[in-house]
Amino acid sequence: MNWWLTALMAVLSLTVLVPLYFTVVTALKTPDQLGGSGFGLPTHIRWSNFSDAWNLTHFPSALLNSALVTVGAVVLTLLTNSLVAYAIARNMHRRFFKGLYYYFVSALFVPFPIIMLPVVKQTARLGMDNQAGLILLYVVYGLAFNIFLYVGFLRSVPKELEEAARTDGAGTWTIFWRIIFPLLAPMNATVGILTCLWAWNDFLLPLVVLSDPNAQTLPLVQYIFQGQFNTNYTVAFASYLMALAPVLLVYVFAQRWVISGVMRGSLK
């Protein structure tokens, strides 16, 4: 082990604690304490920032909306994107599926602002300017990157496993759900984490799609702290901390599951 390189990486990894520390101390300060050093500890802790953020954003309702959209996007993404990737990975020798793969991957180079206006008009005409439409959009827009990840992983899975299952009389659906999908545990965890973080923290897509104010997610309701001439930083950062807590717990849990999934996949 290169101890110097390991120590350097450990020090650099600690830099992620700097913005977290800044967020915590700002959320505990009063507005008049912001004039000093941003990294200074609060001289008087103001816990009312959290209650103000709770009331101003209607936090339980916004939290439920974000959780509904995030869970729906993650579950539907894992079920559908893995199926499409499996069909492509096992038929890459065919011209149609190979072209389909490059067609999906090419969507990575299309910026969302270019297609934003047509998406807004189309979702409104189809009556999809709601949470269900937002979930479907997350599934579709994540398809390009997820296909890229899944196909690369599936091509490393031996085909002999499927051939043995077919010899025993298993069909394609049985092979996928009982053999392939469990082997995709590490990649499912990776795609699930990325989709979860994206859907939970996204601001632009819910802003242009959702038309019902009661369906707003946490990033949208937190925009209330941004005024025309000033910003309520202390209450805003308290709201950010409350929104950060659930997804942080999910990330810590899923990170451990990724490691165990990689070990199970290597053993199989």
Side-chain angles (χ1 to χ4, degrees):
M1 180 181 295
N2 190 332
W3 290 103
W4 288 106
L5 182 59
T6 303
L8 177 62
M9 294 301 297
V11 172
L12 292 178
S13 63
L14 292 177
T15 58
V16 299
L17 298 178
V18 176
L20 181 60
Y21 169 80
F22 181 80
T23 303
V24 172
V25 297
T26 303
L28 296 176
K29 289 181 178 180
T30 58
D32 58 322
Q33 297 180 36
L34 296 178
S37 174
F39 295 95
L41 293 173
T43 57
H44 173 70
I45 296 178
R46 187 177 182 181
W47 297 106
S48 61
N49 289 335
F50 293 92
S51 60
D52 292 342
W54 181 283
N55 296 325
L56 289 173
T57 61
H58 302 286
F59 188 80
S61 176
L63 179 66
L64 181 61
N65 292 334
S66 289
L68 178 64
V69 171
T70 302
V71 172
V74 170
V75 173
L76 198 58
T77 294
L78 294 180
L79 294 179
T80 58
N81 288 198
S82 58
L83 277 171
V84 176
Y86 175 67
I88 293 176
R90 288 298 180 258
N91 296 277
M92 282 292 284
H93 58 282
R94 300 181 180 180
R95 183 177 300 177
F96 172 77
F97 287 93
K98 192 172 184 179
L100 192 63
Y101 171 74
Y102 288 113
Y103 172 76
F104 281 128
V105 174
S106 63
L108 290 171
F109 303 97
V110 180
F112 176 71
I114 294 179
I115 60 175
M116 182 171 62
L117 184 58
V119 167
V120 173
K121 290 185 176 180
Q122 195 68 25
T123 52
R125 290 178 180 177
L126 296 177
M128 296 175 57
D129 51 346
N130 48 35
Q131 294 171 329
L134 184 61
I135 292 173
L136 291 177
L137 288 176
Y138 280 129
V139 175
V140 172
Y141 288 144
L143 189 63
F145 184 67
N146 296 337
I147 289 294
F148 178 75
L149 293 178
Y150 273 126
V151 170
F153 187 86
L154 283 167
R155 297 184 72 178
S156 65
V157 176
K159 294 184 179 180
E160 288 75 13
L161 294 174
E162 301 172 45
E163 294 173 356
R166 292 188 186 279
T167 303
D168 293 336
T172 302
W173 286 99
T174 303
I175 291 174
F176 177 78
W177 291 116
R178 303 193 63 176
I179 298 177
I180 301 301
F181 195 76
L183 291 176
L184 288 175
M187 194 52 60
N188 284 334
T190 302
V191 172
I193 290 175
L194 295 177
T195 305
C196 178
L197 295 176
W198 175 33
W200 186 270
N201 297 317
D202 188 32
F203 174 79
L204 184 57
L205 195 57
L207 177 66
V208 299
V209 172
L210 296 177
S211 59
D212 186 4
N214 295 324
Q216 289 185 337
T217 57
L218 280 171
L220 290 183
V221 298
Q222 289 172 343
Y223 194 65
I224 193 176
F225 304 116
Q226 311 293 326
Q228 183 177 2
F229 301 105
N230 59 1
T231 301
N232 194 345
Y233 287 105
T234 57
V235 180
F237 276 74
S239 177
Y240 300 154
L241 276 180
M242 292 192 297
L244 174 65
V247 73
L248 183 61
L249 293 177
V250 172
Y251 180 78
V252 170
F253 172 77
Q255 189 181 38
R256 297 178 180 178
W257 191 72
V258 170
I259 297 174
S260 61
V262 171
M263 296 178 64
R264 289 198 303 269
S266 62
L267 292 176
K268 291 181 181 180

